[in-house]
Amino acid sequence: MGFRHGEQLPPRLLLTNDDERFMVEALKEAWRAFDINEVPVGAIVVHDGQIIGRGSNQVELLQDATAHAEMLAIGAAAQAFGGWRLEDCTLYSTLEPCCMCAGAIFLSRVARVVWGAPDTRLGANGSFVDLFSLPHPFHQLSVSPRVLTEWCAKPLQQFFQKRRAENQS
């Protein structure tokens, strides 16, 4: 079982850089989603080494297909930042962003995206389509994929194992 919010990291998971340290914060958001029976995806937005926005998937809770972790983190960051242009910010997501979230990333001018587990069904950075590789007319985006991939996949694996078990009973 992967770590959950409030628990210590396993000794074999040694965080070696800021991307890993911040991805752990996004993982805490994913476990929050897991705890409320949402698909466990978490995201945070960081500016100057500080978390300015957090989001966990809330599609079922809000009955809103757009309530993805990345969308909610971007919205929270824009409120905290005092504007929608999130230039010089990094978005960390435990799952490869989908096309909708990729659009929000471009529109909000996030400078960098770091993601954990690939999403073969909807991933917009090469797993399904690769929107991030296309040249953008006014925005440069840096992407760091597959950070703490195994740990980011754990809440998703556990969630869908639990869901399948519930459906069999």
Side-chain angles (χ1 to χ4, degrees), residues 46-136:
V46 174
H47 180 260
D48 286 339
Q50 300 295 315
I51 298 170
I52 62 167
R54 292 179 174 271
S56 55
N57 196 30
Q58 296 183 28
V59 171
E60 298 299 330
L61 177 70
L62 300 176
Q63 289 297 293
D64 179 355
T66 69
H68 288 195
E70 299 94 330
M71 301 292 281
L72 298 173
I74 288 169
Q79 265 195 321
F81 206 54
W84 61 269
R85 287 183 177 90
L86 299 178
E87 297 160 337
D88 300 321
C89 291
T90 301
L91 179 130
Y92 291 84
S93 177
T94 58
L95 187 64
E96 178 183 0
C98 70
C99 295
M100 174 184 66
C101 294
I105 288 163
F106 283 124
L107 289 168
S108 64
R109 313 293 199 276
V110 167
R112 185 165 176 255
V113 174
V114 180
W115 58 265
D119 183 354
T120 56
R121 296 177 318 109
L122 297 170
N125 190 210
S127 295
F128 173 61
V129 297
D130 198 353
L131 297 180
F132 293 146
S133 70
L134 300 173
H136 197 271

Side-chain angles (χ1 to χ4, degrees), residues 122-169:
L122 297 170
N125 190 210
S127 295
F128 173 61
V129 297
D130 198 353
L131 297 180
F132 293 146
S133 70
L134 300 173
H136 197 271
F138 57 86
H139 179 59
Q140 295 294 320
L141 179 67
S142 170
V143 180
S144 297
R146 298 178 186 267
V147 172
L148 299 182
T149 300
E150 290 180 37
W151 287 97
C152 290
K154 283 186 181 292
L156 291 160
Q157 291 164 348
Q158 290 179 23
F159 178 82
F160 288 110
Q161 286 170 353
K162 179 180 148 197
R163 175 83 53 92
R164 283 189 294 275
E166 289 170 354
N167 288 339
Q168 290 177 358
S169 20

